[in-house]
Amino acid sequence: MRALVTGITGQDGSYLAEFLLDKGYEVYGMVRRSSVENFNRIEHIRDKLKFVQADLLDQLSIIDAIKESRPDEIYNLGAMSFVPTSWKQPVLTGEFTGLGVTRMLEAARHMNKNVKFYQASSSEMFGKVREVPQNENTPFYPRSPYGVAKVYGHYMTVNYRESYDMFACSGILFNHESPRRGLEFVTKKVTYGAAKIKLGLADSLCLGNLDAKRDWGYAKDYIEAMWLMLKQDTPEDYVISTGETHSVKEWVEASFKCLDLDWEKYVKIDKSFIRPVDVDLLVGDSSKAEKKLGWKTKVNFNGLVKIMVEYDYNYLKKQM
Ligand code: NAP
Ligand code: F7E
């Protein structure tokens, strides 16, 4: 089996590449040119991967990437994925995260209509939630240009499935985290920040809205769900989540507690991290995935906090 993964240099792409290699796949990563190479997350497996240079903004480069890799499966994980940046660069976000999906689907349709296609949809599409918990039938109400772009990409995936009978699936994944999470996302910012404080490398941590609630799972668990979706007889969309919700404040408390620190002594609120509008509460119902894919989350909230805090503490200690 051959797979083409966009966003292979990102958190999910790197775990998915490892997972597919273990399953015996030939894995092609679609990467965009940069003046400084950005392969940190895949350095340990780079010799086993093949790379094709393309950009989600550039239709012909995507066609060439598919021509060269001749994939049986395409995993479209590439996107501008940081919500605050989507207000600063709404048009670019629409291009990468929204139209990029159409460019991938168009290229796939022209090259090989039988290719299986996975789209990285997001719980951000539920935004100002219309019901609790959220499932595959919950109406969308996105609250950021990122969420709006994801809704567009989601419906293009549904539309190509229905218009051209393509095997195209959307995984509506709730927040998933890991030691490989980008430093600006709140979970990593907190575990990294707390570890720095514990080691005397910082004396405070500035955050925004502590009341928002998220359904946080472990990225490594979620990757398997993507693969399972493409292994079914029929293409469908699935919610992937833990079913538990916790506030940012609870994440902060648990992370500092792991290091025997009292968070209230160190955390400051900085208004610049507060968004024009936020998503107040997310909690997913993934009973469809449980029933049809046999998928279930394995790492709970405290387990995830521990994995990330321990990793960051040990990493920073080694650098000293
Ligand atoms: P990430 O770490 O930010 O990785 C994003 C990837 O997209 C990077 O490899 C990046 O490449 C690539 N990319 C960005 N713009 C591109 C372009 N124009 N052309 C080609 N590649 C481009 O994101 P992640 O957390 O792994 O998430 C993976 C996907 O799942 C994203 O689509 C995200 O929106 C979606 N998602 C994530 C979550 C979550 O909680 N993590 C939840 C739901 C959905 P560079 O390294 O070159 O920047
Ligand atoms: O924010 C609050 C912030 O940036 C979580 C992406 O992977 O998941 C991610 O989007 C919450 C928000 O993730 C800070 O206001 C407080 O309520 O970690 P985040 P996100 O926006 O939920 C979804 C599913 C995706 O699809 C996205 O690609 O935490 N918060 N203080 C803060 N957030 C950040 N980043 N920094 C703060 O200082």
Side-chain angles (χ1 to χ4, degrees):
M1 291 289 281
R2 266 190 307 272
L4 174 64
V5 180
T6 75
I8 198 163
T9 53
Q11 171 189 260
D12 291 6
S14 65
Y15 285 119
L16 179 65
E18 279 171 10
F19 178 89
L20 294 174
L21 285 173
D22 276 353
K23 294 259 174 232
Y25 276 66
E26 207 175 318
V27 181
Y28 284 80
M30 192 181 110
V31 289
R32 53 182 175 162
R33 197 259 162 192
S34 138
S35 67
V36 179
E37 210 182 60
N38 179 19
F39 282 17
N40 321 7
R41 295 182 174 110
I42 48 172
E43 201 52 63
H44 59 296
I45 48 170
R46 74 180 289 164
D47 294 348
K48 298 184 185 136
L49 300 171
K50 295 187 170 116
F51 296 101
V52 282
Q53 206 176 77
D55 197 300
L56 288 168
L57 298 182
D58 189 303
Q59 183 73 70
L60 263 181
S61 70
I62 297 172
I63 292 173
D64 280 344
I66 295 182
K67 206 187 268 176
E68 194 179 327
S69 54
R70 292 176 298 116
D72 302 294
E73 296 174 0
I74 296 175
Y75 294 87
N76 185 37
L77 310 184
M80 199 308 287
S81 76
F82 190 50
V83 173
T85 299
S86 76
W87 276 284
K88 295 217 160 82
Q89 300 180 338
V91 176
L92 196 70
T93 303
E95 285 282 353
F96 283 9
T97 306
L99 277 172
V101 183
T102 309
R103 293 190 189 100
M104 289 299 298
L105 284 163
E106 270 295 89
R109 177 170 82 86
H110 282 287
M111 301 304 298
N112 170 15
K113 214 170 72 82
N114 296 321
V115 70
K116 293 189 170 181
F117 187 90
Y118 173 85
Q119 167 57 16
S121 285
S122 164
S123 53
E124 277 294 298
M125 301 190 303
F126 296 122
K128 189 173 177 182
V129 298
R130 310 284 284 274
E131 65 178 333
V132 180
Q134 298 83 52
N135 64 35
E136 292 78 6
N137 300 316
T138 303
F140 299 137
Y141 191 147
R143 291 271 270 181
S144 62
Y146 168 81
V148 174
K150 280 287 177 189
V151 170
Y152 169 79
H154 177 82
Y155 277 123
M156 286 310 280
T157 306
V158 173
N159 186 262
Y160 272 56
R161 177 166 77 217
E162 293 175 356
S163 306
Y164 304 114
D165 203 20
M166 282 175 70
F167 196 108
C169 305
S170 267
I172 307 175
L173 270 54
F174 281 61
N175 298 53
H176 46 281
E177 319 294 314
S178 74
R180 294 186 198 166
R181 188 57 143 154
L183 264 177
E184 71 272 57
F185 295 91
V186 80
T187 53
K188 179 78 175 176
K189 186 173 169 184
V190 170
T191 57
Y192 195 80
K196 272 175 103 174
I197 291 170
K198 181 73 181 177
L199 291 165
L201 300 170
D203 51 22
S204 64
L205 175 65
C206 291
L207 295 172
N209 176 12
L210 301 188
D211 296 324
K213 289 183 151 183
R214 290 290 183 276
D215 178 332
W216 281 296
Y218 184 32
K220 225 174 163 175
D221 280 357
Y222 284 35
I223 294 312
E224 190 186 8
M226 300 176 184
W227 176 77
L228 283 169
M229 284 177 216
L230 300 193
K231 288 285 164 277
Q232 304 308 301
D233 293 336
T234 51
E236 289 180 38
D237 306 324
Y238 295 86
V239 159
I240 300 297
S241 64
T242 70
E244 256 187 63
T245 191
H246 294 272
S247 65
V248 173
K249 193 173 171 182
E250 285 174 87
W251 182 275
V252 173
E253 272 170 355
S255 303
F256 277 74
K257 198 168 158 212
C258 266
L259 296 164
D260 290 321
L261 294 172
D262 173 4
W263 71 276
E264 286 179 285
K265 287 190 187 151
Y266 305 100
V267 172
K268 295 179 180 156
I269 302 301
D270 178 339
K271 284 196 175 129
S272 68
F273 293 114
I274 297 192
R275 302 172 184 189
V277 283
D278 209 341
V279 170
D280 300 327
L281 162 79
L282 288 174
V283 56
D285 167 8
S286 45
S287 43
K288 177 179 174 187
E290 204 172 313
K291 201 165 146 217
K292 290 203 165 181
L293 306 179
W295 180 89
K296 208 172 180 328
T297 190
K298 296 186 196 91
V299 175
N300 68 10
F301 177 80
N302 284 315
L304 181 59
V305 170
K306 190 164 178 284
I307 290 172
M308 292 178 66
V309 169
E310 282 177 0
Y311 178 90
D312 287 337
Y313 179 80
N314 292 330
Y315 170 82
L316 284 165
K317 201 158 181 215
K318 252 193 236 157
Q319 312 297 310
M320 290 172 77

